[in-house]
Amino acid sequence: MAGRIQDRVAVITGGASGIGRACALRFAEEGADVVVADLDETRGLETVAAVTASGRRSTFVRTDTSREADCEALAEAAVAGFGHVDILVAAAGISHALYVSGQGTGEVGADREAAMLLNKPTEYWEKVMAVNLTGVMMTDRAIARRMVASGRPGSIINIASGAAKIPLPGAADYCVSKAGVWMLTKVLALEVARFQVRVNAIGPGFIETPMTEGMRADEERARAIVNSTPLGRLGLPIDIANTALFLASDESSFFTGEIIFPDGGLFTG
Ligand code: NAP
């Protein structure tokens, strides 16, 4: 039986870990070939191996999404290897300037007081913007250019955050970067709609990935978040991958410029 995105080509940044990896595996189950882009080659190749094990084509392109040349090279490599790009998931991101994926340094880091804007060095702010906002813009732009040139319809999915609408003390840079991604999504959506390229965003709540490892290690804090979540649990990467799959597929063909918040009701208001 044909999958929901059968034979489409997806580029996924941040595809070595967490939400990006879950999207890669879910998309492959539904028939897509996947270009995995990330800083981390070892874990990126693990994602590639899992995708190919499920019978789809996959390749890894080492990419620092905060570098314009890397974003353009990624788009070029995807087109050279697979002919065109139908889907982009821009999931590469950091929770704060010193975040290292998988090392328990998620959220605002160990020192909440140092993370407050009053104490935050400008270079920390700039690092988060460079990856989370400018990086998403440059990835979107590089892939959108190829989508438009191909004349095929496309779906771009930006991973924002619930932090795009809810201010989190200690995470001004993160919140502003994600709010920026939300607005970028809307503007780009209007600009490329005439080419049948759709652009939407996802604003996850707290999801069990390396990014929230530090938070989850603090039992009291994790319990407080679960208790404040109407659905009574943290999210799983598959929750976000299923949302991305909907936005990638034709089932969302009348969606553009939208953001969906899979957060168990946490940030509903
Ligand atoms: P994750 O497991 O840490 O995955 C993020 C991936 O992005 C890592 O593989 C990381 O590589 C990569 N990355 C970081 N900077 C990069 C760069 N400059 N260029 C290319 N790749 C880069 O975290 P995640 O939770 O899956 O996060 C994915 C996205 O979801 C992020 O944008 C995050 O802000 C967003 N999000 C997450 C949550 C949550 O609760 N987990 C909630 C809302 C939004 P390295 O390992 O090499 O650093």
Side-chain angles (χ1 to χ4, degrees), residues 13-99:
T13 71
S17 183
I19 289 170
R21 175 177 284 179
C23 289
L25 303 187
R26 187 73 187 94
F27 284 16
E29 279 175 6
E30 294 294 338
D33 295 330
V34 184
V35 178
V36 177
D38 205 290
L39 286 172
D40 188 328
E41 178 158 18
T42 305
R43 289 183 300 145
L45 289 173
E46 286 169 14
T47 305
V48 167
V51 169
T52 50
S54 74
R56 297 307 309 186
R57 292 195 305 151
S58 185
T59 190
F60 176 76
V61 181
R62 193 192 175 279
T63 310
D64 178 348
T65 56
S66 68
R67 289 170 43 92
E68 181 172 355
D70 281 22
C71 295
E72 291 295 326
L74 166 63
E76 278 303 299
V79 171
F82 294 83
H84 58 266
V85 178
D86 302 299
I87 300 160
L88 166 67
V89 178
I94 53 177
S95 51
H96 58 93
L98 303 180
Y99 175 66

